[in-house]
Amino acid sequence: MSLAPVNIFKAGADEERAETARMSSFVGAIAIGDLVKSTLGPKGMDKILLSTGREGTVTITNDGATILKAIGVDNPAAKVLVDMSKVQDDEVGDGTTSVTVLAAELLREAELLIARKIHPQIIIAGWREATKAAREALVKSAVDHGEDETQFRDDLMKIAETTLSSKLLTHHKEYFAKLAVDAVLRLKGSGNLEAIHVIKKLGGSLIDSYLDEGFLLDKKIGVNQPKRIENAKILIANTGMDTDKIKIFGSRVRVDSTAKVAEIEQAEKEKMKEKVERILKHGINCFINRQLIYNYPEQMFAAAGVMAIEHADFAGVERLALVTAYALTLEVISLDPKIAGRVLLMQYLLARFLLLQPLEGQRGEIASTFDHPELVKLGSCQLIEEVMIGEDKLIHFSGVAMGEACTIVLRGATQQIIDEAERSLHDALCVLAQTVKDTRTVYGGGCSEMLMANAVTELANRTPGKESVAMESFAKALRVLPTIIADNAGYDSADLVSQLRAAHVEGKTTYGLDMKQGTIGDMASLGVVESFQVKRQVLLSAAEAAEVILRVDDIIKAAPRKRVPDRYPC
């Protein structure tokens, strides 16, 4: 009988077992936490991300989700934290760095407990009880001003300022907080951020950014056509307006003279003229088309005093889905079915924006021809005009009856500044939208983390057995967050966190870290407020991710598929 180890895997497969697998998971997850923890808090540092592509773009950011999306990781535990950060960004928009750091610190504590021969299942059992206690403490500390409109708006302003205080926009946080709150409150409680369109234009400074209550279309008006239309009647179409020239694909036309070619061209022109006349019978003064509009139909529209806009497949049309549907005219016969589906969706949503009255309980009809103008419900707005932003011309739609959709125009000196401003504003908008849905708020500055940690410590003191050790490690991981916030500001974290802990024991449960003065202070009077939803999601996501990684005791890498040479090349 041979005592040699038997390998049951294919050549190229690999396996890590028990302590080796667990150590690999811990190292990968802790490395991810260490990577982003220097960006945590109002005094966090930024990272420069360089792409290795042909253009070599540069991104400067301190947003945890953006950093983790940009890096390529091979460690499976690290991938779990990266995915968790993406989910946090999608769910609530902010807290991506906090959730990653908390999960990494939990695993750092778990590594020490396993070194003391405490089984992972015992640690998990203690963590689950600790998570429950921390969540209950967070719920008890939450404040709800949803019934008081004035107080709730003040809470939204404080939440926006707290969110932006750790971003690039911190020096203009009052201005951008008001801008974000105004945009979110226009949604009237729906919380659907697709209705807020963000346009980035180089030039000026950040303070030149503004909220426009209409909608901006990044296109140009046709030649010799009106640049301003009041009480506009708008027809949106997806039809070919480029058949005034002969287009032949993979076929031949035999003629015996050039006069015959001229006859064919003239027939095409007559066909296009008839089409334009049928469009004009709708009584419109603005025509927006998904496809190109060639010179001849453009001249006819100009002669009729109609504003014609081509290639209206602009980004952000889907953000207008909150507005009730109106009809649009589509011809997508010549398009690929998949492309046609996307085009139909974008044009349908554009039509939903340009409306006159809400049409409850009905969908906008989609016509395929221009033969029956009486059946087509036209879009409408009070004013269409061409505006200048920097050196670019845009088309501005104002006076729309359903005013939920709006546009935020961001200005800045460089593309990197504008991109980071957009990410910062996106985080603030997401947090505000979540707060509108769940109006509860909690205090920031490490106050909530210390409150939860003390609740977990009290539970651990009452719990017999090894689970209490796991609970203590959970509380210790929670206290690391205010420690990192103080460290990133250059303050004495040991002194500040010990003062904060003592203040909470004395019953000052609204106290947190004042990063302006480098002391502890009352977060209620300082206005450092955060969304309850964000804090709750950070706690639950970090605990679940750490538990998933802690359960691992075996990592198996499948053998790569061998490439077989093609024996039958084309």
Side-chain angles (χ1 to χ4, degrees):
M1 180 178 178
S2 175
L3 297 178
V6 178
N7 186 13
I8 63 172
F9 299 109
K10 283 185 177 182
D14 189 20
E15 181 185 23
E16 296 178 3
R17 294 184 176 180
E19 294 301 322
T20 306
R22 199 167 284 124
M23 183 62 65
S24 174
S25 298
F26 288 158
V27 168
I30 292 170
I32 289 292
D34 290 342
L35 175 68
V36 297
K37 74 178 184 180
S38 63
T39 66
L40 186 64
K43 300 293 182 71
M45 306 299 286
D46 289 354
K47 308 284 185 188
I48 293 180
L49 307 175
L50 296 174
S51 66
T52 56
R54 183 179 298 177
E55 298 187 9
T57 57
V58 177
T59 303
I60 303 174
T61 183
N62 71 345
D63 182 60
T66 305
I67 295 169
L68 296 180
K69 282 177 189 174
I71 62 173
V73 293
D74 190 41
N75 186 281
K79 287 182 179 179
V80 170
L81 293 195
V82 171
D83 291 341
M84 176 191 63
S85 177
K86 291 178 183 177
V87 171
Q88 178 79 10
D89 192 39
D90 295 337
E91 285 291 319
V92 292
D94 196 23
T96 53
T97 305
S98 299
V99 72
T100 306
V101 171
L102 180 56
E105 292 301 325
L106 284 171
L107 291 171
R108 198 191 302 271
E109 294 296 323
E111 184 180 12
L112 299 175
L113 296 181
I114 287 176
R116 294 166 57 182
K117 304 301 181 184
I118 299 178
H119 196 274
Q121 291 296 347
I122 296 176
I123 300 173
I124 290 169
W127 281 1
R128 286 185 175 177
E129 292 298 320
T131 304
K132 185 178 178 182
R135 182 169 56 183
E136 290 174 355
L138 190 66
V139 170
K140 288 180 182 177
S141 68
V143 180
D144 191 351
H145 292 137
E147 300 299 326
D148 186 346
E149 186 176 339
T150 304
Q151 185 63 45
F152 182 58
R153 181 183 174 87
D154 188 49
D155 283 349
L156 290 179
M157 284 292 295
K158 291 176 181 178
I159 289 171
E161 290 178 11
T162 303
T163 303
L164 295 174
S165 65
S166 61
K167 312 290 183 183
L168 174 72
L169 303 177
T170 182
H171 298 297
H172 311 293
K173 62 182 181 181
E174 293 84 3
Y175 178 80
F176 281 96
K178 184 178 184 303
L179 188 148
V181 170
D182 289 343
V184 169
L185 290 180
R186 287 177 63 87
L187 302 180
K188 300 175 183 176
S190 69
N192 190 347
L193 296 179
E194 295 300 313
I196 301 174
H197 187 206
V198 179
I199 289 181
K200 299 179 289 185
K201 286 296 176 183
L202 277 173
S205 63
L206 286 171
I207 203 69
D208 294 327
S209 305
Y210 64 92
L211 174 69
D212 195 292
E213 296 184 357
F215 194 81
L216 288 168
L217 173 59
D218 199 357
K219 292 292 172 184
K220 294 183 179 178
I221 300 171
V223 180
N224 296 325
Q225 292 175 358
K227 306 297 182 186
R228 175 187 171 90
I229 292 180
E230 295 182 2
N231 299 320
K233 293 182 179 179
I234 304 158
L235 175 65
I236 305 169
N238 185 24
T239 181
M241 303 294 289
D242 53 355
T243 51
D244 57 332
K245 293 183 175 63
I246 297 177
K247 295 190 297 182
I248 300 169
F249 300 99
S251 58
R252 293 182 296 176
V253 177
R254 291 185 177 181
V255 293
D256 53 12
S257 68
T258 55
K260 295 291 178 66
V261 177
E263 290 179 10
I264 296 174
E265 289 184 343
Q266 185 61 34
E268 290 286 345
K269 271 196 168 186
E270 290 297 325
K271 182 179 176 183
M272 178 56 63
K273 182 179 179 182
E274 180 188 356
K275 190 173 190 177
V276 172
E277 288 174 350
R278 282 189 283 128
I279 291 172
L280 294 176
K281 285 181 181 179
H282 288 74
I284 60 171
N285 51 15
C286 180
F287 177 68
I288 301 176
N289 192 29
R290 162 67 179 80
Q291 301 181 44
L292 282 170
I293 301 177
Y294 270 24
N295 296 338
Y296 180 62
E298 190 176 66
Q299 292 171 9
M300 295 188 67
F301 283 126
V306 173
M307 178 188 294
I309 303 168
E310 64 180 2
H311 264 175
D313 55 338
F314 55 97
V317 174
E318 66 275 8
R319 292 182 172 87
L320 310 173
L322 291 175
V323 186
T324 323
Y326 257 64
L328 64 161
T329 304
L330 298 165
E331 284 187 2
V332 292
I333 299 170
S334 61
L335 293 178
D336 177 84
K338 292 182 180 179
I339 299 174
R342 290 196 294 270
V343 170
L344 285 169
L345 175 64
M346 295 184 75
Q347 298 301 316
Y348 168 65
L349 294 173
L350 176 59
R352 293 175 73 182
F353 170 67
L354 299 167
L355 70 141
L356 184 59
Q357 297 175 358
L359 200 66
E360 302 209 3
Q362 300 183 32
R363 294 188 58 174
E365 59 184 81
I366 300 177
S368 59
T369 65
F370 304 101
D371 295 328
H372 301 285
E374 69 278 2
L375 300 179
V376 178
K377 299 181 181 68
L378 302 176
S380 175
C381 68
Q382 292 180 6
L383 177 65
I384 303 176
E385 60 182 342
E386 197 172 55
V387 296
M388 290 283 293
I389 298 179
E391 298 179 354
D392 299 325
K393 291 182 180 180
L394 292 88
I395 304 171
H396 182 241
F397 298 80
S398 59
V400 181
M402 294 294 286
E404 294 178 1
C406 58
T407 303
I408 295 175
V409 181
L410 289 178
R411 308 297 307 281
T414 67
Q415 192 62 44
Q416 289 81 9
I417 290 176
I418 295 179
D419 290 341
E420 179 64 5
E422 182 190 24
R423 285 188 289 269
S424 303
L425 194 61
H426 170 265
D427 287 356
L429 290 172
C430 288
V431 173
L432 292 175
Q434 290 296 325
T435 310
V436 169
K437 293 178 182 177
D438 186 344
T439 55
R440 288 176 290 180
T441 60
V442 294
Y443 294 113
C447 172
S448 298
E449 286 80 4
M450 188 60 67
L451 199 69
M452 291 188 287
N454 288 344
V456 173
T457 301
E458 289 178 9
L459 177 64
N461 293 336
R462 301 193 307 267
T463 304
K466 293 182 179 179
E467 286 87 352
S468 63
V469 182
M471 295 175 189
E472 280 289 349
S473 70
F474 196 96
K476 188 176 179 182
L478 284 169
R479 292 191 184 99
V480 169
L481 289 177
T483 303
I484 293 173
I485 292 173
D487 282 336
N488 290 342
Y491 299 128
D492 186 349
S493 60
D495 181 43
L496 286 177
V497 172
S498 61
Q499 289 184 38
L500 182 59
R501 187 173 182 178
H504 276 255
V505 171
E506 293 172 2
K508 300 176 182 178
T509 54
T510 60
Y511 269 53
L513 299 178
D514 181 1
M515 288 294 96
K516 286 185 178 179
Q517 306 297 329
T519 60
I520 64 171
D522 187 1
M523 297 295 101
S525 60
L526 292 174
V528 182
V529 179
E530 295 189 53
S531 171
F532 169 79
Q533 281 282 75
V534 173
K535 285 295 181 188
R536 186 181 68 87
Q537 192 68 29
V538 165
L539 174 69
L540 299 181
S541 296
E544 289 174 4
E547 179 181 332
V548 166
I549 295 171
L550 187 56
R551 283 178 175 273
V552 173
D553 72 340
D554 205 348
I555 299 176
I556 302 170
K557 295 180 181 178
R561 186 175 61 180
K562 292 184 179 179
R563 293 187 177 181
V564 180
D566 190 358
R567 299 181 184 275
Y568 305 99
C570 297

